[in-house]
Amino acid sequence: MDRPVKIERIVVRRDRIVCEVAIPDPRMRRTTPILSRRALDSYPTLAHHACINGKGKTFGAVIEGTSVPHLLEHMIIDEQVRRSSCDAASFTGTTRWVDEGAGTARIEVSFADDLCALASAKEAERRLNDAMRRCFQ
């Protein structure tokens, strides 16, 4: 289990990055309470992110039972907030399965600085894979 989650490609658009994500193992495509706690260890504010979902107004309402790409979206946003030099910066994102059966998804996240967004995506991917390796060993 080298990298359970792989950002296979990142495209920089004028106002957002688009990440093509692969999760080959079907057992690793949904969050669990343990994985959620590990993500919160690295990103304590994740549960407070605004999030449009069917259960509540924050990401915390779904963090224990959402898609792993959705978790990665919020981790990328949180990482950008940490790295941002602008206190007023806010970021938005969307996640959708391209082919859930194949484990491919597309994450789109806004940015203030494209290089910061790219670094944030790679760091969030690294932290998520570390957490997943500990959870699914």
Side-chain angles (χ1 to χ4, degrees), residues 81-136:
V81 170
R82 289 179 179 191
R83 294 167 181 251
S84 177
S85 59
C86 177
D87 290 337
S90 66
F91 303 95
T92 60
T94 62
T95 298
R96 70 177 181 82
W97 287 110
V98 174
D99 184 342
E100 189 172 359
T104 57
R106 179 170 293 125
I107 301 169
E108 299 189 24
V109 177
S110 66
F111 62 79
D113 176 280
D114 58 345
L115 296 177
C116 176
L118 292 169
S120 295
K122 295 312 281 181
E123 179 62 14
E125 176 192 32
R126 185 191 68 75
R127 287 178 186 239
L128 179 56
N129 278 315
D130 287 348
M132 291 182 76
R133 280 190 291 271
R134 290 192 308 251
C135 289
F136 295 105

Side-chain angles (χ1 to χ4, degrees), residues 55-105:
K55 292 188 177 180
K57 295 182 180 187
T58 65
F59 185 58
V62 295
I63 192 171
E64 291 186 357
T66 192
S67 72
V68 167
H70 188 208
L71 173 59
L72 180 58
E73 169 201 330
H74 282 272
M75 291 171 74
I76 293 168
I77 289 170
D78 208 271
E79 190 67 40
Q80 283 193 91
V81 170
R82 289 179 179 191
R83 294 167 181 251
S84 177
S85 59
C86 177
D87 290 337
S90 66
F91 303 95
T92 60
T94 62
T95 298
R96 70 177 181 82
W97 287 110
V98 174
D99 184 342
E100 189 172 359
T104 57

Side-chain angles (χ1 to χ4, degrees), residues 4-6 21-30 67-69 97 100 102-105 132:
V5 176
K6 298 173 186 152
V21 178
I23 305 172
D25 188 334
R27 298 169 298 151
M28 297 185 181
R29 294 181 187 155
R30 305 275 313 161
S67 72
V68 167
W97 287 110
E100 189 172 359
T104 57
M132 291 182 76

